[in-house]
Amino acid sequence: MILAVIGLAAPVAAVWLWLESFGITDSRVFRGALAFGCALGLSSVSTMFLVASGIGLRPGAMAADLLLWTALAATALGVRPRRSEHRAPAREPASEPLAPLAWFARGAFLTAAVLALGTVVAEYIAAPHGQWDAWAIWNQKARFLLRDAGAWRSLVEIDWSNPGHPLLLPASVARLWAYAGGEPTLVPAMVSVLFGISNVAVVMAALGWQRPHAWMAGTVALVPGSFVSQAIAQQADIPVAFFILTALVLIQQAAGGQVSVVRRRRLLLLAGLLGGFAAWTKNEGFLLLAVEAALVLWLSVRHRALTAFAWWLLGTMGPLLVIAWFKFSVAPVTPVYLAPGGSLPALVGQLFQLDRHALIGDIVTTRWWLWGGPWATGLLPLTLLAGSAWAFRGVSDARLLLAAVLLMLCGYDAVYLASSLDLAWLVSGTVDRLVAQLWPAIVLAAFCTGPNVRL
Amino acid sequence: MPGDLSPRTVLSGVLLAWCVLATGRVFQLTLAKPADPMSELESEFRPMAAYLPPFGEVGYLEAYDGPTEEAVRMHYAAQYALVPRLIVGRAGAEFLIVARGTARGSGDVRLIGFHPVASFSGGHRLYQRDR
């Protein structure tokens, strides 16, 4: 297991140093979260190269992998600006002595965090292989990649495992298993929990650690059992939530008025990369890419800098090339929920059938109200309302986040309407997980009471 | 200090208290969750690997009484344990996994042409096609 931790730490450290070199962010927490997400994304691509080329994840290949990341880290150290050249980190506004609410918010967060951690540990003890989709889809694919580089393509022949789902998560788990020299269930659990922690950390960092509402947001984020249990489920929804959140925060930062052209380009390049990784994690990530494209285009027009869009597009290219290889060469299958159930006129008819809209509305209303588990009833609508209130008051960050969430929800709705599967079954079976994907962004919007801190 | 407590502060305090209680309730319910059967199922199917070819298709006898959740879970567990082999729900392959409770008790016609190779913990059996 220690070797698996080394296997994770090496790319995270390399990406951390490169992010520092490029001055992407002064926030260590945000940089750490970005480094973690990018490291998994990039190392999953190198892992797929090893697997697809037939080299496999043998000890020798893993040693080369470690050397590669160490060399990248060393290179970043070489090009890093010296401390005297490095600009002083932007400090948050000097905070007043902590008010009772600030103390209470911090205490509540720490208590909630300990309880959530307890939930995670208890879930892991009860289900070390993760929830149903973890062993039916994600970890099973990881085993294919690890156990036999010659037969790994067979993974697309298991129809119940969503053959077309991309491989960021399975490749990451397989790589760390290869480092560990076995298949400890702690590895996918660790990846899963780190994505969960990163989600909460990014929400709090984006709001500013000195502000009480950052701690309140962190506390609220940990309330839904549906979110916390997903964070140990070893499935792909919380990783997707992370990529959605970080990409949107980067776009928020790029949309700020005081951002230099160079910094905006770097932020958008990274936002594109993370959007691409979302699509390399799960098909829902393609919706994020479409939403990001719309937001960045709007941003480019607003700042009269169409090159900004080009930089974002450039960021998406790497992951999109890998996805194109996977989707066209390895798993050229239509997702089961999009499999054509009839002719084009029938499909168009489906989109406008009022009873289908009504059915989705019925299920979604009930499930949203109850989402989060016991004692969290009404939390989701309340949080959405809070975000809407800030958006209507003109807080641009809340507007951007809610616009993104709304567009994502419209995308999910369109897929529901177009699907040939039993609609009630499809909506009931997916709505909770789809909300979990958007939950961190929704919480961030709800606490965007003013401009977010410069990260 | 009570004098500093504005309605907004009180409201925030109530929200935070509710959040902590709700998080605690989730923790309490999680503690009461039964153990997931996958660990046990996985360890029951894993020893079959020693009798099977390293890859390719292996047959899996579907539950005689139809696909209950338990039966589906068992099939998926066999696949999860025996990757990179493909555990297919038909009897065309050389080997056939007969998981507990899947064959008809009083002789299953689907097993004609196969002979038992090994039995495993949990009541699972492995059959091979007759020569």
Side-chain angles (χ1 to χ4, degrees):
Chain A
M1 190 59 200
I2 291 170
L3 290 175
V5 173
I6 292 171
L8 179 63
V12 171
V15 177
W16 165 285
L17 290 169
W18 276 105
L19 290 174
E20 193 180 41
S21 302
F22 284 116
I24 295 292
T25 171
D26 294 326
S27 162
R28 288 184 177 177
V29 172
F30 189 50
R31 196 189 309 149
L34 284 176
F36 169 70
C38 291
L40 283 197
L42 294 169
S43 61
S44 72
V45 173
S46 62
T47 302
M48 285 315 300
F49 171 75
L50 289 173
V51 172
S53 62
I55 297 169
L57 305 180
R58 297 175 190 150
M62 291 300 98
D65 180 86
L66 189 61
L67 268 177
L68 169 77
W69 291 110
T70 310
L72 282 172
T75 317
L77 275 175
V79 300
R80 192 168 61 158
R82 272 174 280 169
R83 191 163 285 281
S84 57
E85 295 170 7
H86 199 59
R87 74 188 150 76
R91 291 192 177 278
E92 291 182 7
S95 57
E96 296 166 7
L98 288 181
L101 177 62
W103 282 113
F104 190 50
R106 289 171 188 224
F109 173 76
L110 290 175
T111 312
V114 168
L115 289 167
L117 198 62
T119 302
V120 160
V121 172
E123 284 269 3
Y124 175 73
I125 291 169
H129 290 274
Q131 292 180 12
W132 186 288
D133 279 1
W135 41 262
I137 301 176
W138 305 105
N139 290 340
Q140 179 172 279
K141 290 185 177 186
R143 285 184 169 186
F144 269 102
L145 299 177
L146 176 74
R147 289 184 182 180
D148 192 342
W152 72 275
R153 282 174 186 255
S154 303
L155 64 85
V156 301
E157 291 177 43
I158 303 170
D159 55 359
W160 71 69
S161 72
N162 283 316
H165 268 334
L167 297 176
L168 184 146
L169 201 55
S172 299
V173 170
R175 176 177 169 275
L176 297 179
W177 272 343
Y179 269 89
E183 296 172 6
T185 54
L186 264 177
V187 163
M190 173 181 73
V191 171
S192 195
V193 170
L194 286 176
F195 269 116
I197 291 172
S198 301
N199 269 303
V200 179
V202 170
V203 168
M204 295 174 74
L207 292 166
W209 294 98
Q210 299 299 318
R211 301 173 178 177
H213 62 246
W215 297 85
M216 289 177 72
T219 314
V220 169
L222 292 172
V223 170
S226 321
F227 179 75
V228 175
S229 67
Q230 276 293 320
I232 184 65
Q234 304 175 30
Q235 297 176 163
D237 298 290
I238 298 302
V240 166
F242 170 81
F243 289 123
I244 291 173
L245 177 70
T246 44
L248 292 177
V249 169
L250 285 167
I251 293 174
Q252 262 187 349
Q253 294 285 313
Q258 305 296 319
V259 182
S260 70
V261 174
V262 174
R263 181 169 153 77
R264 180 171 294 128
R265 285 176 181 170
R266 289 175 177 174
L267 290 168
L268 291 177
L269 184 84
L270 202 53
L273 183 71
L274 290 163
F277 285 151
W280 176 228
T281 305
K282 211 175 177 203
N283 290 341
E284 286 94 312
F286 285 106
L287 274 179
L288 173 67
L289 275 181
V291 170
E292 270 195 62
L295 293 175
V296 175
L297 201 57
W298 163 78
L299 185 71
S300 306
V301 172
R302 187 179 149 204
H303 291 283
R304 292 176 186 167
L306 281 173
T307 50
F309 185 80
W311 281 95
W312 171 81
L313 200 60
L314 186 66
T316 65
M317 283 298 133
L320 283 182
L321 282 174
V322 181
I323 295 167
W325 162 75
F326 176 72
K327 293 278 184 187
F328 292 111
S329 163
V330 179
V333 290
T334 311
V336 63
Y337 47 85
L338 286 181
S343 60
L344 186 63
L347 181 68
V348 174
Q350 263 181 228
L351 293 175
F352 294 99
Q353 275 175 16
L354 287 180
D355 57 334
R356 288 177 75 82
H357 285 277
L359 181 61
I360 294 171
D362 270 357
I363 298 172
V364 165
T365 308
T366 313
R367 297 295 281 270
W368 279 23
W369 181 249
L370 298 173
W371 187 81
W375 297 12
T377 302
L379 180 66
L380 175 64
L382 195 69
T383 315
L384 277 168
L385 267 178
S388 307
W390 298 121
F392 279 114
R393 282 192 182 189
V395 179
S396 57
D397 284 336
R399 281 183 178 173
L400 186 142
L401 285 165
L402 276 185
V405 166
L406 192 67
L407 288 170
M408 294 285 292
L409 290 173
C410 289
Y412 296 153
D413 187 48
V415 173
Y416 283 152
L417 288 169
S419 177
S420 57
L421 295 176
D422 177 70
L423 190 57
W425 176 81
L426 178 65
V427 179
S428 304
T430 55
V431 67
D432 288 356
R433 287 189 291 109
L434 294 180
V435 171
Q437 290 176 9
L438 297 175
W439 176 242
I442 293 171
V443 173
L444 181 56
F447 287 88
C448 275
T449 56
N452 283 342
V453 294
R454 182 188 184 279
L455 286 168
Chain B
M1 282 170 280
D4 296 337
L5 294 181
S6 65
R8 189 174 166 182
T9 305
V10 172
L11 203 64
S12 302
V14 170
L15 172 71
L16 286 169
W18 173 50
C19 287
V20 171
L21 287 174
T23 315
R25 178 69 177 143
V26 170
F27 175 51
Q28 187 190 22
L29 289 172
T30 309
L31 287 176
K33 272 191 179 177
D36 185 77
M38 183 47 61
S39 297
E40 201 178 328
L41 285 173
E42 206 252 355
S43 62
E44 287 170 5
F45 283 111
R46 249 187 199 241
M48 288 186 185
Y51 297 84
L52 297 170
F55 53 86
E57 288 195 353
V58 175
Y60 184 92
L61 195 72
E62 298 283 15
Y64 191 83
D65 301 324
T68 60
E69 185 180 315
E70 178 59 25
V72 171
R73 186 197 302 271
M74 202 125 64
H75 184 173
Y76 288 13
Q79 175 62 72
Y80 179 58
L82 298 171
V83 166
R85 300 160 193 87
L86 289 172
I87 312 302
V88 296
R90 53 181 179 270
E94 173 74 9
F95 289 93
L96 179 68
I97 295 170
V98 181
R100 69 167 171 269
T102 53
R104 195 177 187 188
S106 56
D108 195 320
V109 291
R110 296 176 297 171
L111 294 177
I112 294 171
F114 287 91
H115 63 274
V117 175
S119 294
F120 301 88
S121 67
H124 311 298
R125 287 167 293 161
L126 185 65
Y127 281 67
Q128 188 171 14
R129 190 172 287 285
D130 293 335
R131 297 285 173 194

